[in-house]
Amino acid sequence: MSWIVDFILVLGGLIFFHELGHFLAARMLGIGVKTFSLGFGPRLAGFTWGATNYRLSLIPLGGYVSLAGEERDMTEDNGFNENELFMNRPPWHRMIVVAAGPLFNFVLAWVIFWGIIISHGQMGLAPKVGKLQPGSPALHAGIEVGDNVLSIEGHKIVFWSDLAETIQNSQSDTLDFVIERDGSTKEIAIKPQVQELKNIFGETIRRPVVGIVASGDSKTVEMDGIDGAVAAAEQTWNVTKLICTSIVKMVERVVPMDSIGGPIMIAQAIKQQSERGLLELLQFTAFISINLGLLNLLPIPVLDGGHLLFFSLETIMRRPLNEKLQAVATKMGLIFLLCLMAFAIINDLTREALK
């Protein structure tokens, strides 16, 4: 049952790190923090340092930060001055504090990817030809099974993903390949064909192809600290783009709504990755961290993105928004999130019932 501990550590750690972002941003700006809790629910232990109560709470899934003066009509009587109250600060201060939570989720994902790359190297599919499609441009040009692609149009090819991206983004009628075969290099010009393909979302798209299939061999590239940091940033960005595209496709109904998962699906995924090893669990944790950061940036009242929207409007209008309007929008946002959560749980239960 060790995966249960992993589940608590992953979700609890991600939420805690998110709240840590809010906390550190608030303290850097001199905004008062009433409570910073590891976990939530009943208080188990803690101490007070300055005007902030640091506590350990019963339920270990995450944590929370309670800022001084989060509501304009709140009366502070615990040692915070007017300048330390959150709602007394200019909108851009509040936006920094709110945005710091999701930002820390992206930073955490980047740090995890960086650590993996530094310790294990960057892993991916080798740019090695495993199969040639009959009548393909690559076959006619002289590409052979077992060839390693070194560059295309002068672009260095490290992994198969580099090869695929370079071909798909090419605008040339002919692509100059440099391949390695039997220890020697060779230049081969290939004229790609535009074909209709299915992307990862099942959509039909038209892309240039040369008709080669990956061998499936894996490859690891050792990297130093700086190169590893850059590669980790690129990996974080690529995962972020993929998740954003998935959300758009879901809104467009390209991706079915029953693919939305809830806590049961996440728990099962954490269990599977935990059984595969620490490396896979860390990679999944980074993926979930990016998901959490993006989810909180959605412009839905109650979420950080909703607060950022309110503060942005306040900046544009140069006056606070109508409190009743904010309250109504917040209630609607809460209802929407509760419905979304219920829908995700129903999907989870339905998947379980169909197994």
Side-chain angles (χ1 to χ4, degrees):
M1 300 297 287
S2 62
W3 70 270
I4 297 179
V5 176
D6 292 332
F7 176 78
I8 293 174
L9 289 176
V10 169
L11 284 191
L14 292 180
I15 299 172
F16 174 77
F17 207 78
H18 177 98
E19 296 299 328
L20 180 63
H22 293 313
F23 171 79
L24 292 178
R27 296 310 302 135
M28 287 177 61
L29 291 171
I31 296 172
V33 178
K34 294 188 293 183
T35 306
F36 181 56
S37 175
L38 174 59
F40 61 95
R43 178 180 180 274
L44 296 179
F47 62 92
T48 298
W49 185 14
T52 303
N53 181 251
Y54 299 86
R55 64 177 60 175
L56 176 66
S57 299
L58 178 63
I59 304 174
L61 292 176
Y64 66 89
V65 174
S66 177
L67 301 178
E70 288 188 78
E71 303 293 338
R72 291 187 184 278
D73 59 353
M74 288 182 62
T75 302
E76 299 294 334
D77 57 359
N78 51 356
F80 295 105
N81 60 48
E82 289 292 319
N83 188 54
E84 291 178 303
L85 303 186
F86 180 70
M87 293 305 292
N88 284 351
R89 289 303 187 92
W92 68 273
H93 277 196
R94 286 176 266 148
M95 292 173 73
I96 290 175
V97 174
V98 170
L103 176 62
F104 261 50
N105 285 123
F106 293 106
V107 170
L108 178 60
W110 171 68
V111 169
I112 292 174
F113 286 141
W114 190 12
I116 292 174
I117 291 172
I118 292 295
S119 59
H120 294 81
Q122 188 174 22
M123 295 169 286
L125 279 179
K128 183 178 180 180
V129 179
K131 182 180 178 182
L132 291 162
Q133 295 178 346
S136 64
L139 179 63
H140 289 308
I143 293 289
E144 297 180 4
V145 172
D147 287 348
N148 286 299
V149 180
L150 302 179
S151 69
I152 302 176
E153 290 291 287
H155 299 287
K156 184 179 179 181
I157 303 300
V158 179
F159 297 107
W160 187 267
S161 58
D162 301 324
L163 181 151
E165 183 178 357
T166 302
I167 295 175
Q168 291 175 4
N169 294 334
S170 67
Q171 302 294 325
S172 302
D173 293 332
T174 303
L175 300 178
D176 295 322
F177 278 59
V178 176
I179 60 100
E180 180 187 31
R181 180 187 301 165
D182 299 327
S184 61
T185 60
K186 185 176 183 180
E187 295 184 7
I188 298 178
I190 304 177
K191 186 175 182 178
Q193 293 178 342
V194 177
Q195 294 182 359
E196 289 188 348
L197 305 169
K198 294 288 186 180
N199 63 13
I200 60 173
F201 303 106
E203 296 176 295
T204 300
I205 57 174
R206 291 178 61 82
R207 289 281 172 83
V209 298
V210 297
I212 57 177
V213 180
S215 66
D217 294 348
S218 60
K219 178 181 179 180
T220 301
V221 177
E222 300 295 331
M223 292 188 176
D224 59 21
I226 296 177
D227 290 339
V230 173
E234 291 176 350
Q235 191 168 355
T236 302
W237 174 245
N238 289 334
V239 172
T240 301
K241 287 195 298 183
L242 177 61
I243 296 173
C244 289
T245 303
S246 299
I247 294 173
V248 172
K249 297 301 180 184
M250 197 170 294
V251 173
E252 295 175 348
R253 303 303 297 273
V254 173
V255 176
M257 296 298 289
D258 59 10
S259 63
I260 295 177
I264 298 176
M265 184 178 179
I266 295 174
Q268 290 175 335
I270 290 176
K271 180 181 179 181
Q272 292 172 357
Q273 301 305 318
S274 177
E275 291 171 347
R276 292 175 181 173
L278 179 61
L279 185 62
E280 285 75 10
L281 181 60
L282 286 173
Q283 289 176 326
F284 184 72
T285 300
F287 179 78
I288 293 297
S289 187
I290 295 173
N291 266 281
L292 181 61
L294 287 173
L295 174 65
N296 274 278
L297 286 176
L298 293 177
I300 300 173
V302 176
L303 296 179
D304 292 331
H307 293 301
L308 289 173
L309 176 62
F310 287 155
F311 298 152
S312 297
L313 292 174
E314 182 177 338
T315 301
I316 295 172
M317 298 170 61
R318 298 185 178 181
R319 60 180 175 81
L321 297 181
N322 183 279
E323 293 186 6
K324 291 184 178 180
L325 179 61
Q326 287 190 60
V328 171
T330 300
K331 288 180 180 179
M332 292 177 63
L334 180 59
I335 292 172
F336 174 79
L337 287 181
L338 291 175
C339 291
L340 183 61
M341 184 179 298
F343 181 75
I345 293 174
I346 291 173
N347 280 346
D348 288 348
L349 296 175
T350 302
R351 274 189 292 267
E352 288 297 304
L354 293 175
K355 286 184 178 180

